[in-house]
């Protein structure tokens, strides 16, 4: 079976190569962006200066199957990870994405970017756009409106796991960086480490085997190892990105060096010195390290936890002038056993500036747990319905349903059959259930919808109830940054119910950090514990709030936060329509 898929992909890829005509549909230039800047450049990587016009930065992504390191993978322009994008604040990023993955749909999500005013560029199929069918293209264009360390990836967890991800760094003039006094160099091209996972087989192609698929390797910039060069006595900003989409937290440290954490998820924090940092899936951490030890070579070590326990990766941290060939045969320090208590996690950090206080806050309870559900084979729908090929696999089929599925408020998310953002009135109302009132809905799956008004502050209470599982879950918020007010785990290791949570809250036993909560795009919810976040929806859009670490072995676990925003007809008309391309002839020859 494995072999078959492999050949199929290779053959399909070759036959596709000769078909320029496949590029049958390319959206018109985005009307919002015409004439905003005059200059344009293919590579926007440059020192960022004050009072200079932003640029339009063009990139072209061809996404398709490759053989990487003797193993089938999905790649962008033949590379996994894909190209690293470097732009300056306020630049416009334009990426022409072409899908060359036979028999699969595609869309790319720009993780951590706000998409203020461009919610239809967020990259979620059937929510913010029609998915990109095999052979067709989609032109993403949006502004880099905030500086920091970001990344992009296929919205589909399985395609991301197969290799469709890469780093995206938004720089700004050095004096604007709040912590620039702490380091001498910020060489984001050489000093960004994006961590991925290697799986024993292609995940997006093997719908019937993934039940308990686990990574068998951790990768640094797509390899087993990497090298970082530094000049003795200078200090450097390093950027770490955990681009893994299964429950695989990573502990990262450099032997004999302390690091100073300066940012998480692209947002500055109060600096804190530590031996190691822990990154949950989707999290980013910027740290500063000073090359103040003996002129030598050291190991930057990455240790996996969760489903990646036992896995590790390493990079050389080399002082210039040191002959590192001697290091190559040298085993890294086996003492890399850092106590969990001396590891800094993103949710422990404090935001650099005080956050504005909110007056009126609407609380929303989201009870998360693994439940045993009576699913009839024909009942469950873990994919969206595409016109192109009915019931195309988007999330891999969850064949391990007999072990239970992770749910929010007792439901799994159901994708609509028209993009919710673009055509909300065409979404069939019987698919929709209101968050908090899910019980009114009979089916195990519904489009869990939370509607809010602009500037109506939402407090999301994420309780990982823990009656059905001992797993930690990592959630990602599209569109908005979250203030993370509290993270708690039951010291007694007992499941936590809604009634118990509400009792604790009523008795004033829950400490919310309202002054300096870290501001993040991804949060971890500890098992038998909770995480409380707040968002202020300052602008409209349809934004997923989704578990990024549950989807491989479960039905979709998500809610849709909708802040109504009518999209001008001229924009809707300029975007590709669903099923604007039919691949039948492509698949047959
Ligand atoms: C570096 O070390 C290796 C062995 O450790 C040696 O063979 C090589 O000649 C050295 N290179 C230089 C430039 O000194
Ligand atoms: C969770 O952990 C406890 C204690 O280690 C164990 O008894 C229980 O079976 C575990 N539950 C699940 C669902 O794995």
């Amino acid at each position: 079976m494995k072999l078959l898929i492999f050949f199929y992909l290779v053959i399909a890829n070759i036959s596709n190569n000769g078909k320029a005509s496949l590029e049958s549909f390319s959206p018109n230039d985005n009307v919002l962006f015409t004439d905003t800047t005059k200059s344009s450049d293919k590579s926007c990587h440059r020192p960022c200066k004050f009072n200079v016009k932003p640029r339009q930065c063009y990139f072209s992504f061809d996404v398709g199957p490759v053989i990487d390191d003797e193993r089938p993978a999905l790649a962008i322009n033949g590379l996994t990870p894909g190209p690293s994008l470097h732009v300056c604040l306020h630049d416009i990023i334009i990426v022409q994405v072409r899908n060359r993955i036979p028999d699969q749909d595609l869309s790319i999500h720009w993780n951590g970017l706000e998409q203020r005013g461009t919610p239809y560029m967020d990259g979620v199929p059937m929510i913010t756009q029609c998915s990109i069918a095999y052979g067709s293209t989609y032109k993403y264009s949006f502004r880099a409106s905030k500086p920091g360390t970001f990344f992009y990836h296929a919205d589909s967890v399985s395609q991301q796991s197969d290799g469709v991800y890469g780093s995206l760094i938004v720089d700004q003039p050095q004096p604007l960086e709040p912590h620039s006094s702490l380091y001498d160099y910020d060489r984001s091209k050489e000093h960004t480490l994006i961590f991925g996972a290697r799986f024993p087989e292609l995940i997006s192609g093997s719908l019937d085997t993934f039940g308990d698929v686990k990574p068998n390797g951790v990768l640094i910039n797509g390899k087993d190892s990497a090298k970082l060069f530094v000049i003795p006595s200078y200090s450097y900003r390093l950027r770490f990105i955990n681009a893994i989409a299964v429950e695989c937290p990573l502990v990262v440290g450099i032997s004999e060096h302390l690091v100073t954490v300066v940012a998480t998820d692209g947002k500055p924090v109060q600096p804190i010195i530590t031996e190691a940092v822990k990154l949950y899936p989707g999290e980013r951490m910027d740290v500063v390290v000073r090359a103040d030890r003996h002129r030598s070579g050291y190991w930057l070590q990455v240790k996996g936890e969760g489903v990646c326990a036992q896995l590790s990766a390493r990079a050389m941290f080399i002082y210039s002038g040191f002959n590192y060939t001697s290091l190559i045969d040298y085993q890294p320090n086996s003492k890399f056993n850092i106590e969990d208590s001396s590891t800094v996690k993103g949710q422990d950090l404090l935001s650099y500036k005080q956050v504005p206080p909110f007056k009126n806050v609407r609380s929303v309870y989201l009870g998360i747990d693994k439940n045993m559900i009576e699913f009839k084979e024909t009942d469950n729908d873990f994919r969206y319905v595409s016109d192109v090929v009915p019931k195309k696999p988007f999330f891999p089929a969850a064949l391990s349903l007999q072990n239970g599925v992770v749910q929010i408020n007792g439901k799994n998310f159901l994708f609509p059959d028209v993009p919710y953002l673009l055509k909300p009135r065409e979404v069939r109302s019987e698919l929709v259930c209101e968050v908090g009132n899910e019980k009114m809905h009979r089916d195990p799956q519904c489009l869990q919808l939370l509607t809010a008004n602009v500037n109506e502050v939402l407090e999301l209470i994420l309780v990982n109830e823990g009656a059905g599982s001992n797993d930690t879950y990592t959630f990602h918020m599209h569109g908005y940054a979250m203030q993370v007010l509290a993270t708690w785990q039951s010291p007694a290791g007992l499941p936590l119910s809604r009634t118990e949570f509400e009792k604790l809250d009523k008795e004033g036993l829950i400490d919310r950090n309202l002054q300096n909560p870290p501001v993040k795009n991804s949060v971890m919810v500890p098992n038998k514990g909770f995480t409380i976040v707040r968002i202020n929806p300052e602008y409209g859009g349809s934004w997923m709030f989704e578990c990024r670490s549950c989807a491989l072995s479960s039905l979709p676990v998500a809610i849709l936060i909708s802040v109504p925003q009518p999209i001008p007809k001229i924009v809707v008309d300029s975007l590709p329509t669903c099923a604007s391309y039919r691949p039948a002839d492509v698949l047959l020859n």
Side-chain angles (χ1 to χ4, degrees):
M1 179 64 182
K2 242 193 280 181
L3 215 62
L4 240 166
I5 289 166
F6 167 83
F7 278 116
Y8 171 60
L9 291 177
V10 171
I11 290 163
N13 191 32
I14 292 167
S15 67
N16 187 25
N17 273 338
K19 295 210 168 196
S21 63
L22 284 184
E23 215 174 349
S24 63
F25 192 90
S26 134
N28 299 331
D29 281 340
N30 190 307
V31 284
L32 289 188
F33 288 135
T34 337
D35 280 331
T36 42
T37 67
K38 284 277 178 270
S39 57
S40 82
D41 187 343
K42 270 212 165 315
S43 162
C44 280
H45 189 221
R46 64 199 189 276
C48 302
K49 300 200 175 114
F50 289 103
N51 301 323
V52 217
K53 268 194 185 169
R55 290 189 189 173
Q56 294 187 357
C57 310
Y58 289 92
F59 304 94
S60 169
F61 283 9
D62 253 31
V63 185
V66 291
I67 301 300
D68 176 61
D69 208 3
E70 299 182 357
R71 153 196 90 104
L74 297 179
I76 300 173
N77 304 342
L79 301 170
T80 171
S84 8
L85 313 188
H86 294 258
V87 301
C88 289
L89 185 62
H90 306 311
D91 281 352
I92 290 166
I93 300 173
I94 301 167
V95 189
Q96 178 97 10
V97 175
R98 185 210 287 214
N99 177 7
R100 287 172 169 278
I101 315 169
D103 204 23
Q104 288 184 36
D105 285 357
L106 176 72
S107 69
I108 303 285
H109 173 55
W110 315 93
N111 193 310
L113 280 102
E114 281 188 337
Q115 305 295 0
R116 185 191 285 253
T118 50
Y120 40 85
M121 294 299 170
D122 194 44
V124 186
M126 299 327 246
I127 300 296
T128 64
Q129 66 169 94
C130 295
S131 50
I132 315 169
Y134 171 46
S136 61
T137 60
Y138 191 94
K139 189 192 260 181
Y140 290 95
S141 49
F142 48 88
R143 202 176 276 279
S145 56
K146 290 280 157 70
T149 304
F150 305 98
F151 73 119
Y152 61 83
H153 52 82
D155 190 71
S156 149
V157 163
S158 50
Q159 291 168 341
Q160 180 184 346
S161 299
D162 286 336
V164 186
Y165 63 90
S167 56
L168 198 175
I169 312 295
V170 181
D171 283 319
Q172 62 181 343
Q174 186 81 354
L176 291 179
E177 285 288 343
H179 294 312
S180 59
S181 63
L182 297 180
Y183 51 88
D184 302 304
Y185 293 106
D186 176 11
R187 295 181 165 161
S188 59
K189 262 266 183 309
E190 297 94 54
H191 289 165
T192 298
L193 300 184
I194 186 162
F195 306 118
R198 175 191 284 126
F199 287 84
E201 56 194 297
L202 204 62
I203 293 185
S204 53
S206 53
L207 285 174
D208 43 353
T209 49
F210 69 90
D212 40 55
V213 166
K214 273 187 187 173
N216 59 4
V218 171
L219 302 170
I220 303 180
N221 298 343
K223 306 265 167 10
D224 292 313
S225 64
K227 292 187 192 79
L228 301 176
F229 291 95
V230 292
I231 303 169
S233 80
Y234 286 98
S235 57
Y236 293 84
R237 175 173 177 169
L238 312 180
R239 297 161 188 263
F240 301 146
I241 304 167
N242 183 342
I244 302 176
V246 291
E247 196 51 47
C248 178
L250 299 173
V251 178
V252 186
I254 305 173
S255 62
E256 297 183 41
H257 291 73
L258 295 174
V259 297
T260 307
V261 184
V262 294
T264 183
D265 288 6
K267 304 280 185 199
V269 296
Q270 294 179 22
I272 181 167
I273 298 173
T274 178
E275 278 178 78
V277 292
K278 187 187 287 192
L279 295 104
Y280 286 87
E283 255 190 322
R284 287 92 69 203
M285 208 90 90
D286 292 18
V287 305
V288 170
V289 61
R290 182 172 287 279
D292 58 0
R293 309 295 297 173
H294 296 294
R295 194 175 282 248
S296 175
Y298 299 87
W299 290 105
L300 179 149
Q301 302 195 64
V302 182
K303 199 176 78 160
E305 296 187 353
V307 300
C308 291
Q310 320 300 329
L311 301 181
S312 61
R314 58 187 186 164
M316 285 185 195
F317 187 75
I318 305 159
Y319 285 45
S320 66
F322 175 72
N323 179 355
Y324 62 83
T325 43
S326 59
L327 252 182
I328 292 172
D329 302 323
Y330 176 82
Q331 279 311 299
N333 195 342
S334 55
K335 277 189 305 195
F336 189 63
N337 263 330
I338 291 166
E339 295 280 319
D340 199 53
S341 56
S342 48
T343 300
V344 164
K345 301 165 201 82
Q347 277 158 252
D348 303 339
L349 295 164
L350 298 174
S351 73
Y352 175 61
K353 285 200 189 133
Q354 290 213 347
V355 302
F358 295 131
K359 281 223 179 71
N360 299 310
V361 176
R362 181 171 138 209
S363 251
V364 178
Y365 184 91
L366 301 175
I368 307 150
D369 206 356
K370 197 176 228 187
N371 299 321
M372 301 301 296
I373 308 285
E374 277 284 322
F375 273 110
K376 276 185 250 127
E377 212 27 65
T378 48
D379 265 2
N380 60 71
D381 190 348
F382 35 82
R383 329 160 214 204
Y384 62 88
V385 183
S386 154
D387 276 357
V388 182
V389 175
K391 302 249 174 194
K392 281 201 68 174
F394 166 60
F395 285 87
L399 297 179
S400 54
L401 292 186
Q402 61 270 27
N403 298 327
V405 289
V406 184
Q407 297 192 312
I408 296 176
N409 294 347
K411 296 287 182 201
N412 286 105
F413 188 77
L414 182 66
F415 283 86
D417 45 12
V418 287
Y420 187 89
L421 173 75
L422 305 177
K423 304 190 168 169
R425 268 168 298 176
E426 288 179 31
V427 173
R428 286 183 287 133
S429 61
E430 68 267 26
L431 304 182
V432 178
C433 60
E434 189 194 347
V435 168
N437 275 326
E438 285 97 340
K439 286 217 168 68
M440 312 287 286
H441 200 90
R442 268 192 302 148
D443 298 329
Q445 276 184 279
C446 52
L447 195 167
Q448 288 165 280
L449 184 66
L450 178 58
T451 308
N453 299 317
V454 169
N455 286 326
E456 180 187 17
V457 177
L458 297 176
E459 177 172 274
L460 304 180
I461 294 169
L462 314 167
V463 179
N464 182 348
E465 295 174 347
S469 135
N470 292 328
D471 297 338
T472 294
Y473 302 118
T474 305
F475 279 79
H476 170 51
M477 176 75 72
H478 291 239
Y480 307 121
M482 301 175 276
Q483 299 178 2
V484 188
L485 307 188
T487 309
W488 183 86
Q489 184 165 32
S490 159
L494 296 173
L496 189 62
S497 68
R498 177 169 188 164
T499 329
E500 282 160 332
F501 174 86
E502 281 167 354
K503 186 159 172 279
L504 287 175
D505 205 7
K506 214 161 155 198
E507 290 169 0
L509 295 174
I510 291 172
D511 250 347
R512 286 172 173 78
N513 175 4
L514 299 173
Q515 302 264 307
N516 294 93
V519 179
K520 296 178 58 57
N521 314 115
S522 40
V523 286
M524 173 275 288
V525 189
N527 188 264
K528 300 173 182 59
F530 58 76
T531 295
I532 301 175
V533 304
R534 284 186 185 173
I535 53 170
N536 179 16
E538 287 175 39
Y539 43 91
S542 300
W543 312 109
M544 292 293 276
F545 178 63
E546 54 167 333
C547 181
R548 276 310 283 181
S549 66
C550 323
L552 257 196
S553 53
S554 196
L555 299 166
V557 182
I559 63 169
L560 178 62
I561 299 174
S562 168
V563 177
Q565 153 108 24
I567 307 294
K569 187 170 180 304
I570 185 167
V571 174
V572 176
D573 290 347
S574 75
L575 295 169
T577 52
C578 296
S580 61
Y581 179 76
R582 293 183 179 274
D585 56 336
V586 179
L587 294 176
L588 290 175
N589 55 43

